């Protein structure tokens, strides 16, 4: 016997979300090698020799990411407490970006919630809070508002993304009556957004920090597999640098905290 239509629809949506997660490197592909979307295309400046060549030492080490203000109302801001260390000076700023996947059907509904340049990039350990406005619910299909989706925190240097931290997000009505019978016009102030902070997917892209080649390798590891060391981030040190994002200040730990 065939499953009820509602159940079949839910199963189909889970399948679509799974495919999008693989696209964003949040789930391992059938082959454990580099995801296809991250491989250099024909005619790309990243040659096969560069792709298979020796890895380049990373200049930036992300030591911790904490999700703040979670769970929260769908209309509330999304906030990440980010800690990182700079191993050697770089001439250009870092670009941090928060992206919300609006639909499992089409990446055209992905929304960049905020993007900011952070610098100067000098040797030391730093910490700041990156806050972005909530996604525009009117910009993606109503059918994709509730349920599971993804939010991405990425960082790039000179246009090359070197780390991507992805989180599952579940949007649902708190009121039981609204859960059983969702209104045709979404009541955003009654929807709770829950970022699954304890299950991030960390993808590291090994880039050439000199800018001479694009990508040399990709490492897609879940923190539970050893990509991140669980631990507490130490309190900020002296002489914090004030920015529009919060406080960037020296830290005292090499551990990576995800949550």
């Amino acid at each position: 016997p065939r499953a009820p239509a509602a159940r079949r629809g839910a199963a189909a949506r889970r399948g679509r979300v799974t495919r999008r997660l693989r696209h964003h490197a949040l789930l391992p592909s059938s082959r454990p090698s580099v995801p296809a979307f991250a491989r250099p295309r024909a005619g790309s400046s990243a040659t096969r020799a560069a792709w298979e060549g020796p890895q380049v030492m990373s200049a930036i080490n992300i030591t911790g990411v904490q999700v703040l203000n979670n769970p929260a109302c769908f209309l509330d801001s999304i906030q990440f407490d980010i800690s990182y260390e700079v191993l050697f000076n770089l001439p250009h700023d870092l670009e941090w970006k928060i992206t919300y996947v609006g639909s499992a059907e089409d990446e055209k509904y992905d929304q960049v919630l905020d993007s900011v340049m952070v610098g100067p990039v000098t040797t030391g350990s730093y910490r700041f809070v990156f806050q972005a406005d909530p996604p525009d619910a009117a910009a993606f299909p109503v059918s994709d508002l509730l349920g599971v989706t993804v939010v991405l925190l990425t960082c790039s240097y000179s246009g090359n993304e070197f780390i991507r931290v992805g989180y599952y997000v579940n949007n649902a009505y708190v009121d039981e009556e609204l859960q059983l019978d969702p209104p045709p016009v979404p009541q955003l102030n009654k929807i709770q957004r829950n970022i699954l902070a304890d299950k991030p997917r960390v993808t590291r892209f090994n880039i050439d920090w000199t800018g001479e080649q694009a990508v040399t390798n990709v490492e897609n590891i879940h923190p539970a597999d050893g990509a991140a060391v669980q631990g507490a981030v130490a309190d900020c040190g002296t002489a914090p640098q004030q920015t529009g994002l919060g406080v960037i200040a020296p830290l005292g730990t090499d551990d990576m905290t995800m949550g």
Side-chain angles (χ1 to χ4, degrees), residues 30 45 47 55 78 84 87 96 102 143 146 165 175 190 208 222 228 247:
S30 56
S45 60
T47 63
Q55 296 184 5
I78 295 177
Y84 67 97
L87 303 183
W96 293 88
S143 58
L146 300 176
V165 184
D175 187 277
K190 295 184 179 180
D208 181 357
H222 191 283
V247 175

Side-chain angles (χ1 to χ4, degrees), residues 50 96 112-113 156 158 226:
W96 293 88
V112 176
L113 303 184
S156 303
S158 292

Side-chain angles (χ1 to χ4, degrees), residues 46 71 203:
T203 305

Side-chain angles (χ1 to χ4, degrees), residues 115-172:
S115 178
V116 67
M117 307 299 292
V118 176
V121 184
T122 56
T123 304
S125 297
Y126 304 91
R127 180 178 182 178
F128 72 98
V129 174
F130 189 8
Q131 176 175 309
D133 291 334
D136 180 7
F140 52 83
V142 175
S143 58
D144 289 311
L145 177 60
L146 300 176
V148 179
T149 186
V150 173
V151 65
L152 302 169
L153 173 67
T154 61
C155 192
S156 303
Y157 178 74
S158 292
N160 293 320
E161 181 180 324
F162 63 88
I163 191 167
R164 177 180 303 176
V165 184
Y167 295 91
Y168 293 97
V169 180
N170 185 53
N171 297 313

Side-chain angles (χ1 to χ4, degrees), residues 25-43:
L26 299 189
L27 289 179
S29 59
S30 56
R31 299 177 62 186
S33 59
V34 177
F37 76 91
R39 297 172 185 161
R41 300 174 182 174

